[in-house]
């Protein structure tokens, strides 16, 4: 009897999809990897290129370019396809065109007989995750957006750099929209159990003005990168890899994904970036942090902006 193997299907082999596939190969996360793109030559070329690196990979991975029919046995389908954010565009500017694209993509995925977890990386990720949930008919736990995983990683990196500690030992979260209304949860940010506020209070070389600047750099990082190199892809690829590993290895890992709220944080019927426990079944539970009054107000504003932006799109579909 053959043992069960994991299969990941990547929809869209642009900058993000191909970078994610390369990261999967490098870390040997899945036994099977299928690449699907409307540009079949691009998907085939990527599969060939990745296969040529297999002799140096940590484990054997079967990699091929395929079609939506290959989603039938996939454990995870990761959608990175869609229109990219252009210089001067916000993520929310992409909502209408990418919602139209996603309706067709999700229809093809579900027609294959797929019954796994869909991960959404395309922007605006919170709204598109909601759309995928509606289009697919899957339980809310099995539709996950990349949310603010990358924003949180940027936050931890910059804080680690500022305090001169390993970013993996910084515990701090960005929540809300993956975009202009996201917010830092300073009230729960700490290093080695010592709150960030304590660090700034007793070590005079650190101050709140610097921390405020760090958050602005986090929030605006994508604009800066897009201006310099045209697109962001390595950071989000590693974020998707981390999420994939948490799912396939049944880790019960806490990640700031775009998850469905049904009363948590006083909000309903919205996918938005919040800390959640992720395992083989998808989102096991949303972790409801005790936000201070300012953070609650900013989070409510983020929800309001997302709901107002997606209302006409949801109504049309």
């Amino acid at each position: 009897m053959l043992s069960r193997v994991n299969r990941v299907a990547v929809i869209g082999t642009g900058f993000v999809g191909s970078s994610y596939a390369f990261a999967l190969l490098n870390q040997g996360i899945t036994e099977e990897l299928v690449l699907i793109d409307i540009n079949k030559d691009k998907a085939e070329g990527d599969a060939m290129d990745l296969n040529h690196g297999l002799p140096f990979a940590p484990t054997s991975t079967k990699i091929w370019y395929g079609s939506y029919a290959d989603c039938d046995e996939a454990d995870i389908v990761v959608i990175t396809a869609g229109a990219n954010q252009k210089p001067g565009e916000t993520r929310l500017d992409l909502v209408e065109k990418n919602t139209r694209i996603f309706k067709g993509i999700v229809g093809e995925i579900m027609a294959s007989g797929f019954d796994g977890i869909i991960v959404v990386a395309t922007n605006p990720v919170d709204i598109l995750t909601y759309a995928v949930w509606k289009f697919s008919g899957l339980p809310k736990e099995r539709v996950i957006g990349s949310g603010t995983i990358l924003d949180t990683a940027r936050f931890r990196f910059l804080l680690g750099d500022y305090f001169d500690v390993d970013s993996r030992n910084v515990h701090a979260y960005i929540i809300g929209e993956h975009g202009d209304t996201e917010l830092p949860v300073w009230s729960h940010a700490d290093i080695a159990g010592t709150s960030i506020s304590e660090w700034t209070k007793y070590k005079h070389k650190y101050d709140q003005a610097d921390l405020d600047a760090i958050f602005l750099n986090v929030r605006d990082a994508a604009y800066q990168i897009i201006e310099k190199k045209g697109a962001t892809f390595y950071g989000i690829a590693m974020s998707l890899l981390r999420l994939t590993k948490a799912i396939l290895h049944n880790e019960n890992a806490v990640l700031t994904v775009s998850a469905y709220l049904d009363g948590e944080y006083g909000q309903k019927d919205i996918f938005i970036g919040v800390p959640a426990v992720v395992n083989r079944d998808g989102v096991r539970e949303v972790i409801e942090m005790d936000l201070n009054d300012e953070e609650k107000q900013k989070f409510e504003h983020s929800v309001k902006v997302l709901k107002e932006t997606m209302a006409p799109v949801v109504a049309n579909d």
Side-chain angles (χ1 to χ4, degrees):
M1 182 177 176
L2 294 175
S3 60
R4 179 79 170 86
V5 298
N6 292 312
R7 177 183 296 183
V8 175
V10 182
I11 313 293
T13 58
F15 287 128
V16 174
S18 57
S19 297
Y20 167 61
F22 183 57
L24 286 174
L25 171 63
N26 267 286
Q27 294 197 24
I29 299 298
T30 184
E31 288 84 11
E32 294 185 349
L33 175 59
V34 55
L35 308 179
I36 302 166
D37 197 287
I38 193 169
N39 183 342
K40 294 181 180 179
D41 285 342
K42 174 65 167 65
E44 183 177 11
D46 274 329
M48 291 170 64
D49 204 4
L50 290 166
N51 274 314
H52 297 163
L54 270 172
F56 310 112
T59 60
S60 178
T61 305
K62 181 182 178 183
I63 305 169
W64 73 101
Y65 81 98
S67 67
Y68 285 105
D70 292 301
C71 294
D72 63 339
E73 295 182 17
D75 300 274
I76 305 173
V77 168
V78 179
I79 307 177
T80 67
N84 293 322
Q85 188 178 349
K86 297 175 182 176
E89 260 189 331
T90 70
R91 297 175 180 94
L92 294 181
D93 288 334
L94 302 172
V95 62
E96 289 190 15
K97 48 187 164 183
N98 277 337
T99 301
R100 287 195 300 270
I101 293 169
F102 266 49
K103 192 167 190 177
I105 289 174
V106 175
E108 295 275 12
I109 293 169
M110 299 312 296
S112 74
F114 173 75
D115 192 34
I117 293 170
I118 297 181
V119 171
V120 182
T122 309
N123 284 314
V125 68
D126 304 290
I127 295 173
L128 290 177
T129 304
Y130 186 96
V132 167
W133 173 55
K134 287 293 189 182
F135 295 154
S136 68
L138 289 170
K140 64 183 187 300
E141 296 83 6
R142 289 201 275 132
V143 180
I144 308 173
S146 54
T148 50
I149 296 179
L150 176 55
D151 310 88
T152 294
R154 289 166 172 161
F155 195 38
R156 292 172 61 198
F157 166 74
L158 290 172
L159 286 173
D161 186 56
Y162 180 64
F163 290 106
D164 197 22
V165 297
D166 190 326
S167 61
R168 291 171 295 184
N169 299 124
V170 176
H171 301 284
Y173 300 103
I174 299 290
I175 64 171
E177 173 209 354
H178 173 55
D180 296 342
T181 66
E182 66 188 33
L183 62 135
V185 186
W186 290 117
S187 63
H188 290 276
D190 73 80
I191 300 169
T194 303
S195 69
I196 295 295
S197 62
E198 291 293 305
W199 281 72
T200 56
K201 186 185 298 183
Y202 296 111
K203 301 190 180 189
H204 299 298
K205 61 181 176 178
Y206 307 125
D207 64 57
Q208 187 61 45
D210 291 338
L211 297 181
D212 292 340
I214 283 172
F215 167 64
L216 292 178
N217 278 334
V218 170
R219 187 194 64 189
D220 299 337
Y223 299 127
Q224 296 166 16
I225 294 169
I226 289 168
E227 184 179 347
K228 292 178 185 299
K229 60 177 274 187
T232 70
F233 39 93
Y234 296 135
I236 185 59
M238 290 299 289
S239 301
L240 292 170
L241 174 87
R242 180 69 192 91
L243 177 55
T244 303
K245 186 169 177 279
I247 294 168
L248 294 181
H249 293 189
N250 197 33
E251 287 186 3
N252 291 310
V254 176
L255 298 168
T256 47
V257 296
S258 187
Y260 185 80
L261 299 187
D262 189 20
E264 298 90 349
Y265 296 95
Q267 304 297 330
K268 286 192 171 188
D269 199 33
I270 187 83
F271 277 84
I272 197 166
V274 288
V277 179
V278 179
N279 61 20
R280 188 84 196 197
D281 296 321
V283 173
R284 191 189 80 190
E285 63 182 294
V286 169
I287 296 176
E288 193 166 2
M289 294 186 291
D290 185 17
L291 304 179
N292 64 32
D293 290 341
E294 182 182 2
E295 290 161 352
K296 286 178 183 175
Q297 186 178 20
K298 289 180 177 178
F299 187 75
E300 287 170 3
H301 173 67
S302 193
V303 170
K304 183 172 181 284
V305 168
L306 281 176
K307 284 194 169 185
E308 287 176 351
T309 305
M310 75 179 190
V313 177
V314 173
N316 289 338
D317 288 296

